[in-house]
Amino acid sequence: MLNPLSINCLVLALLCTWALCNAQSDSDSPKIQLRLAGEKRKHYEGRVEVLYDGEWGTVCDDDFSIYAAQVVCRELGFMDAVSWLPSAKYGRGEGRIWLDNLHCTGSEKSLAQCESNGFGVSDCKHSEDVGVVCSQKRIPGFKFIRNQASSMEGLNVQVEDVRIRATYSNRKRIPITEGFVEVKDGGKWRQICSEEWTQMNSRVICGMYVHFKQGQSRRKKNYWGFSVNCTGNEADLSDCKLGREIELRGNNTCRKGMPTVVSCMPGRGFAPSVSIGFRKAYRVEQPLVRLRGGALIGEGRVEVLKNGEWGTVCDDKWNIRAATVVCRELGFGSAKEALSGAKMGQGIGSVHMNEVECSGFEKSLTECHFNRDSVGCSHEEDAAVKCNVPAMGFNTRLRLSGGRNPSEGRVEVLAERNGSLVWGTVCSDSWGTMEAMVVCRQLGLGFANHAFQETWYWQGDSSSQAVVMSGVRCSGTEMTLDQCLHHGKHVICPNGGGRFAAGVSCTLTAPDLVLSAQVVEQTTYLEDRPLYALQCAQEERCLSTTSDNADPTSYRRLLRFSSQIHNNGLSDFRPRASPHSWVWHECHRHYHSMEVFTYYDLLSLNGTKVAEGHKASFCLEDTYCDEGIQKRYECANFGSQGITVGCWDTYRHDIDCQWIDITDVKPGDYILQVVINPNYEVAESDYTNNVMKCRSRYDGHRIWTYNCHIGETNPHQG
């Protein structure tokens, strides 16, 4: 029988042995280096690759877990792992499969410390290569450690952050276009030695439009110990390869160089000015590429112009390199993200490009190789981008005050008064959705949800009550409220500020209504009806004014057509008016939630109205929906009204008021025009597709409607 002293000694010995073994396992574990690689990925995700014994290889997904993913991400300098993906989701790797049947607890400092079959012992194929998605946040103070001195080739740059610190002469310019390149490693900002710096490196840095840091250039030099090798088509410095180790002197300066300084050229829309940003909105003339449906500046669905018609790009093979070409072409930096699966809403018309492949150096997306055959591509596969945008300081001159959350409130602007900058309100006269759209975009809050002309219920800053801006009129394309038309320093606001100060609420998603041009073209016809049979429609002003004095037995000639309106956006289209203010319409026998939902007009070829069109009011409901989508809205029994995402509201040609009265129109060539949501009463992600125009030829007896187009296309063509 062992006495207590013997037991204590035995326990102590076992503990000592365990601690020694544990210490030995930390120090004796093989030295490895990790990287993330693969297709269609962001810099914080990818196929896990291991550098061991001078050779890069992959990791098998057998027994892999979120704990192993956590070890991988932390070893790469990320705070945590979000998820892991089996079955070569980032493409198949090459070479050896170094690790299989990994068992990690999540506390290991290196993947080499996790239990496994041993390096190179695997029965897996590359179809089982594992990938991880790490959190975007970097570990504060994380310092890159080179474990494999013999082989640096293929290792990506791994730092906490990157910035351009302004030179002294540029410290007051917005955006900062010239400064010292600095990386944050080991919790400290360090300069990069210019010894092996190239123009390709500068191209990547400028494209990132990274966190600009204002300040003086006089600072003690503290260099990072590595050079950088970029090919120039990378979207981010983290995609560049690590160069050789730079030989530093005793006081941490590089022998053959100076601190790297880059001079960047911003897009014309971001031309620098002193202190207050730019003054005029920049409008591209005849662009070949545009973004639509994005909530923020520099993001949206990619659309290209071909033969006068805008169309979309299929997401097959869509990647960060092609997205970067788009972003640079439009005057932004490189791409932050290449999006697939109609993440920015579905477009309309043709799919012009498929399987796009870019080198990254093209001036335009239209110069990239692509497959003209888009068979099999639908608008559910529309490609989109998010671009790096220069830090313009837009949100420092505008704020929302008094709202229940950061996305709503009274609009307050910073204006110069008597030689000093003061906060004040905006007069709400003429304030509407377009003005609210610009405010929300400028603040990075997305789309406007509502524009408010009374804000007495929001208690803003009492020192900011004075009206400092009035007469604001925006087209909706401006980046800042300053760019909109306004009265300047001569404020005119009859109602004063206070309760009548302008306000907004913002949202990151919005609906997008599109009328089917094809349905209009296919359903247009003429009908002659006696006036006595149109009494209800006459009361609702659906006929031209000449019908007021016409003989009840006379006939009216009606140009009839069906309207099919689809919601292509990312949120439901809901009427602004609350149900208690809806109006009962006897003709349609239901309530109309929007008094003016569409304009129907017949125009001459020079744009003059030839038939008195009318303002059609609808009851909004889901007539049909795409497969798998449930109807939410119906007009019957005073039901809730709206149009669900992926559904459409159809007004058939044979119902009252679904026409234009052309009784007094002479034979000739005309333009049939339909405008949805013409007063911008409800916010949408894209208003350019709310107009439909068709060519029409009328011979006095019959009418031919052809070449119907949506948006900014020209109906005169064809």
Side-chain angles (χ1 to χ4, degrees), residues 23-56:
Q24 287 174 341
S25 66
D26 279 2
S27 60
D28 295 345
S29 57
K31 298 296 182 184
I32 63 171
Q33 205 86 54
L34 300 183
R35 71 179 180 188
L36 300 179
E39 306 161 0
K40 289 189 177 182
R41 67 181 191 90
K42 306 171 194 73
H43 69 273
Y44 51 86
E45 65 176 342
R47 180 176 63 246
V48 180
E49 295 195 350
V50 179
L51 179 63
Y52 175 73
D53 198 21
E55 183 182 348
W56 285 103

Side-chain angles (χ1 to χ4, degrees), residues 434-456:
M434 283 303 186
E435 290 71 38
M437 278 286 196
V438 175
V439 167
C440 293
R441 187 185 302 119
Q442 182 175 348
L443 291 171
L445 297 174
F447 306 106
N449 201 18
H450 288 297
F452 299 95
Q453 293 187 334
E454 290 189 39
T455 53
W456 53 268

Side-chain angles (χ1 to χ4, degrees), residues 125-279:
K125 298 177 181 177
H126 281 297
S127 58
E128 300 170 82
D129 286 345
V130 77
V132 299
V133 179
C134 303
S135 65
Q136 296 184 50
K137 194 170 182 182
R138 302 285 297 181
I139 298 172
F142 175 81
K143 183 169 177 60
F144 169 73
I145 299 172
R146 186 180 64 171
N147 288 326
Q148 297 277 329
S150 60
S151 179
M152 296 300 294
E153 186 181 348
L155 201 59
N156 285 17
V157 174
Q158 298 175 27
V159 290
E160 282 183 64
D161 208 349
V162 184
R163 73 181 183 190
I164 296 176
R165 181 167 56 82
T167 56
Y168 184 77
S169 59
N170 278 268
R171 68 192 189 283
K172 290 185 179 179
R173 297 184 77 84
I174 299 174
I176 295 169
T177 57
E178 188 173 294
F180 297 92
V181 180
E182 296 187 340
V183 296
K184 194 175 186 181
D185 188 32
K188 294 181 179 180
W189 286 104
R190 303 175 190 275
Q191 295 154 347
I192 295 183
C193 182
S194 62
E195 187 177 322
E196 296 187 3
W197 190 260
T198 67
Q199 282 295 106
M200 292 297 117
N201 295 349
S202 294
R203 175 179 163 86
V204 174
I205 287 289
C206 289
M208 289 171 64
Y209 282 118
V210 285
H211 311 295
F212 296 112
K213 168 71 176 176
Q214 296 192 24
Q216 298 183 10
S217 63
R218 299 181 181 92
R219 175 179 290 192
K220 182 181 176 182
K221 296 178 179 64
N222 182 17
Y223 288 95
W224 194 47
F226 298 93
S227 61
V228 175
N229 288 334
C230 301
T231 60
N233 58 9
E234 296 89 349
D236 193 278
L237 192 68
S238 61
D239 297 322
C240 296
K241 304 304 180 187
L242 203 62
R244 70 175 185 83
E245 196 164 1
I246 295 291
E247 187 179 349
L248 300 177
R249 293 177 180 171
N251 58 356
N252 245 18
T253 60
C254 64
R255 279 183 183 277
K256 301 177 184 177
M258 296 288 290
T260 295
V261 174
V262 294
S263 183
C264 304
M265 180 68 71
R268 288 175 61 190
F270 300 94
S273 64
V274 178
S275 300
I276 62 170
F278 58 85
R279 298 179 183 277

